[in-house]
Amino acid sequence: MTDDNHIIPLIRENTEKGFRLLMAKYKEPVYWHIRRLVVSHADAQDATQDTFLRIFRSFSQYSGDGSFKAWIFRIATNEALRLLARNQGKSTLSLDETPLVALTMKADDYFDFGNIEVVKLQKAITALPTKQQLAFNLRYYDDLSYKEIADVTGSTESTVKANYHFAKEKIIKYMNSNDT
């Protein structure tokens, strides 16, 4: 996989070639990051396209301070949150209010609904408050450092650690309960 330190100058020198490398490296991770937040495949595809358009348009604003990956994921996160805000009321439910049918309708082929543990985990994650959901997804699935997550979310490392801890505790508690 191409290193960010190679991609960044290449984008500045040869935009087309640089963005092809950027897309090859980040399209799938960005899509799955967004997908875990919005659940729907179609919504995730739209937000992923919007993310890369925004990256293309604002690349000149990337200062090189901080992680390039965190900068990309911050843009992706903002696009996902924009989409969720447009669909307000359809996506934020408590654990007790998230029916399996609602997840099934939004999830397309994302889940193996025959595996109750996978369904239960997704139900627990989607019911978390947004900041906890972001901290959990970015750490657990995307393997970002607490510093990078702080950059993505615009918070501090200690806040991210607390959100991740609370998210993990809620998920563990829910996974160990008898609820489905």
Side-chain angles (χ1 to χ4, degrees), residues 25-87:
K25 181 173 183 179
Y26 284 106
K27 186 176 181 181
E28 190 172 333
V30 164
Y31 167 82
W32 284 109
H33 168 65
I34 292 170
R35 178 83 186 253
R36 284 187 286 275
L37 295 171
V38 302
V39 183
S40 163
H41 169 68
D43 287 346
Q45 281 187 314
D46 290 346
T48 299
Q49 287 179 343
D50 292 344
T51 295
F52 284 102
L53 279 171
R54 192 168 298 267
I55 289 169
F56 181 79
R57 290 180 180 148
S58 62
F59 182 77
S60 63
Q61 297 170 10
Y62 175 67
S63 64
D65 295 338
S67 161
F68 186 57
K69 182 178 182 179
W71 184 74
I72 289 170
F73 273 76
R74 182 178 189 131
I75 293 170
T77 299
N78 288 338
E79 290 302 323
L81 294 176
R82 259 189 216 83
L83 190 131
L84 289 172
R86 282 193 304 260
N87 297 333

Side-chain angles (χ1 to χ4, degrees), residues 82-151:
R82 259 189 216 83
L83 190 131
L84 289 172
R86 282 193 304 260
N87 297 333
Q88 187 79 24
K90 299 177 189 174
S91 56
T92 306
L93 300 169
S94 75
L95 286 173
D96 297 329
E97 298 169 324
T98 309
L100 182 57
V101 172
L103 280 176
T104 305
M105 288 175 19
K106 290 175 65 179
D108 317 311
D109 296 326
Y110 181 46
F111 300 113
D112 170 9
F113 284 96
N115 185 338
I116 194 69
E117 291 298 311
V118 171
V119 173
K120 203 171 178 181
L121 175 62
Q122 186 59 37
K123 188 175 178 183
I125 292 170
T126 57
L128 291 169
T130 303
K131 289 182 181 190
Q132 290 176 16
Q133 190 180 97
L134 285 170
F136 182 81
N137 285 342
L138 289 166
R139 182 79 176 154
Y140 184 79
Y141 291 112
D142 301 313
D143 200 31
L144 268 65
S145 68
Y146 290 118
K147 167 77 173 102
E148 288 174 316
I149 298 169
D151 290 345

